[in-house]
Amino acid sequence: MTSDSSRTRAHEPREVRRAQILEAAFQCFSESGYHAASMNDLVRASGLSKGSLYWHFESKEQVFLALFDAFADDYFASWQALDDGQRPLFEVIAGGNELAIRRLLAQPGMMRAWIEFLAHPAARDRLAVLYRRCRELLEDLLERAMERGEMKRLPSAAVSTLLIGAAEGILLQASVDPEFDPLAHWPGVLLALEGGLVA
Amino acid sequence: MTSDSSRTRAHEPREVRRAQILEAAFQCFSESGYHAASMNDLVRASGLSKGSLYWHFESKEQVFLALFDAFADDYFASWQALDDGQRPLFEVIAGGNELAIRRLLAQPGMMRAWIEFLAHPAARDRLAVLYRRCRELLEDLLERAMERGEMKRLPSAAVSTLLIGAAEGILLQASVDPEFDPLAHWPGVLLALEGGLVA
DNA sequence: TTCAATAGACTGACCAGTCAGTTTATGACT
DNA sequence: AGTCATAAACTGACTGGTCAGTCTATTGAA
């Protein structure tokens, strides 16, 4: 009576099921990317039925969007945790990029899904917001570092754009070329930046 | 007798038709991206029949690959034309990036197709080769600039990665956020680099 | 008894690619 | 010049398969 898992299933509260679906979705998207992972794959991976998926999420897109939001929130939280008042600001700045690189590279499929998502019209707003948030955070860190005299005075908007671009470019090159080792290049990039940016 | 275009059609030499198909493909992919543009769209846009498309190209993928190659060749040619012996090398270096940004931004749909392409497994090799070629070209320019004393000595591999990344990052941010003006940031990026990299 | 939650067979649309057949160009041999 | 064989180019209806999303029925919980 307690567990006849084969036929039917206990009704679970919203959040439990959503988490379960999201976990399966992460698995599927990580493996095959957004397009290649079908809703039937999610059905298999979650162990739920299609009807259930569509009860909890409006569409495939919404599933991915939820996943994306979770990823973004988690990323920003980890990044801001670096800014503990102890660490030099330049390390916080560089650390944000390094974090992004390490996270996305750890899940190659997720990187692919991310890229596909860049091309997905419905995702633009979300991504625009994310990039803005990154730029704002970076600009704030840069301004503070400049005020403290930790860095040369330079247009912080441009430098933040450059930093985001550098991380992203490294990720793209790495995602496409297995012989390209992204973190081997990273210290050199920092060195180049420090040569110019750090007082 | 010369032109009864309605019913049947003169047989044209390979290259003429391929060019015609490629032009239609460019139009379609630019408008909707790779996935969203169907072969039937190409049929409509080219004015040929489906059989004809598949006579001249093996698959949709091959059509895009041909388009990609043409774009790449054209890009490298334009870039290398900048290196005329007159121009300071730093301008050639920066010019390559600026060229890429201007070209891809001029065709927003093509930018989208490009991004989709990044996620397309069959395209990886092609892109890996492209990135390598970019890095090699940049490294060579950087080395020469350093030898001539136009720039500070820095690891050229890291700096070339950084430059490619910066351009790419700007493109991505611009493709996603209509309020982000990519070339407004470009001079600042160069300034930041010059601050550090140019002697 | 009521309804949120679950199930999974089903639908309708789409799409890359195929195929059997047609048309045009070529050129060889009268 | 006329005829005909052969190949190259072209046509569009069709196929097989996929996939996001729907529908109706059923179950569990309160």
Side-chain angles (χ1 to χ4, degrees):
Chain A
M1 226 118 287
T2 35
S3 64
D4 175 9
S5 68
S6 65
R7 278 247 66 89
T8 50
R9 180 185 303 279
H11 294 186
E12 295 282 354
R14 272 198 120 59
E15 288 315 309
V16 174
R17 281 281 182 262
R18 280 180 65 98
Q20 185 178 353
I21 292 168
L22 252 19
E23 198 187 9
F26 177 76
Q27 213 178 289
C28 291
F29 289 138
S30 290
E31 221 161 84
S32 349
Y34 181 78
H35 276 103
S38 72
M39 282 307 257
N40 285 328
D41 292 338
L42 297 211
V43 167
R44 258 167 260 141
S46 67
L48 294 171
S49 67
K50 211 162 193 187
S52 236
L53 295 208
Y54 278 94
W55 175 258
H56 291 286
F57 288 94
E58 231 176 44
S59 61
K60 183 183 179 183
E61 195 177 283
Q62 289 302 316
V63 175
F64 192 88
L65 252 23
L67 215 51
F68 176 86
D69 288 341
F71 180 91
D73 288 347
D74 187 53
Y75 169 66
F76 281 115
S78 306
W79 187 8
Q80 280 177 308
L82 292 180
D83 187 12
D84 57 4
Q86 309 294 107
R87 232 180 235 93
L89 289 174
F90 188 75
E91 269 181 50
V92 179
I93 291 166
N97 281 15
E98 211 172 323
L99 212 57
I101 293 176
R102 282 191 197 281
R103 295 240 165 151
L104 282 172
L105 281 179
Q107 265 89 25
M110 209 54 201
M111 179 68 205
R112 186 179 152 193
W114 177 280
I115 295 172
E116 280 177 280
F117 202 51
L118 277 166
H120 195 104
R124 305 215 152 173
D125 295 345
R126 265 307 196 296
L127 279 164
V129 168
L130 180 104
Y131 281 128
R132 268 184 218 154
R133 214 170 142 191
C134 275
R135 287 200 300 270
E136 274 161 28
L137 240 163
L138 270 174
E139 279 172 43
D140 174 61
L141 286 166
L142 287 165
E143 291 289 346
R144 280 162 56 205
M146 289 174 197
E147 260 163 44
R148 286 202 205 164
E150 285 186 30
M151 294 179 66
K152 239 194 236 183
R153 273 248 153 249
L154 274 171
S156 57
V159 178
S160 69
T161 297
L162 177 68
L163 281 167
I164 293 169
E168 206 134 29
I170 287 176
L171 275 167
L172 289 180
Q173 288 171 69
S175 78
V176 136
D177 184 349
E179 278 170 42
F180 180 89
D181 178 2
L183 287 173
H185 287 250
W186 191 238
V189 169
L190 291 183
L191 182 67
L193 286 175
E194 269 182 312
L197 302 178
V198 175
Chain B
M1 230 124 286
T2 34
S3 64
D4 175 10
S5 69
S6 65
R7 277 246 68 86
T8 47
R9 182 184 301 280
H11 292 186
E12 295 282 353
R14 273 198 116 59
E15 286 316 308
V16 175
R17 280 280 182 263
R18 280 181 64 100
Q20 185 178 352
I21 292 168
L22 251 20
E23 199 186 11
F26 177 77
Q27 215 178 288
C28 291
F29 289 138
S30 289
E31 220 159 85
S32 347
Y34 180 79
H35 275 104
S38 73
M39 280 308 257
N40 285 328
D41 292 337
L42 298 211
V43 168
R44 257 166 259 140
S46 67
L48 293 171
S49 67
K50 207 160 195 191
S52 228
L53 295 208
Y54 278 95
W55 176 259
H56 290 287
F57 287 94
E58 231 177 43
S59 63
K60 184 183 181 184
E61 196 178 280
Q62 289 302 315
V63 175
F64 191 88
L65 252 22
L67 215 52
F68 176 86
D69 288 342
F71 181 92
D73 288 347
D74 188 53
Y75 169 67
F76 280 115
S78 306
W79 187 9
Q80 278 178 309
L82 291 179
D83 187 12
D84 58 3
Q86 309 294 106
R87 231 181 235 91
L89 289 174
F90 188 75
E91 269 181 50
V92 179
I93 292 167
N97 281 16
E98 209 172 324
L99 213 57
I101 293 176
R102 282 192 197 282
R103 295 241 164 150
L104 282 172
L105 280 179
Q107 264 92 26
M110 209 54 201
M111 178 70 205
R112 185 179 153 195
W114 177 281
I115 295 171
E116 279 178 280
F117 200 53
L118 279 166
H120 195 105
R124 305 213 152 173
D125 295 344
R126 265 307 196 296
L127 279 164
V129 167
L130 181 105
Y131 281 128
R132 268 184 218 155
R133 214 170 142 191
C134 275
R135 288 201 300 268
E136 274 161 28
L137 240 163
L138 271 174
E139 280 173 41
D140 174 62
L141 286 165
L142 288 164
E143 290 289 345
R144 280 161 55 205
M146 289 174 195
E147 260 163 45
R148 285 201 205 165
E150 285 185 29
M151 296 180 66
K152 237 194 241 186
R153 275 247 152 249
L154 273 171
S156 55
V159 177
S160 68
T161 297
L162 177 70
L163 280 166
I164 293 168
E168 207 135 27
I170 287 177
L171 275 167
L172 288 180
Q173 288 172 69
S175 78
V176 135
D177 184 349
E179 277 170 43
F180 179 88
D181 178 2
L183 287 172
H185 285 251
W186 191 237
V189 170
L190 290 183
L191 182 65
L193 285 175
E194 270 182 311
L197 303 178
V198 175

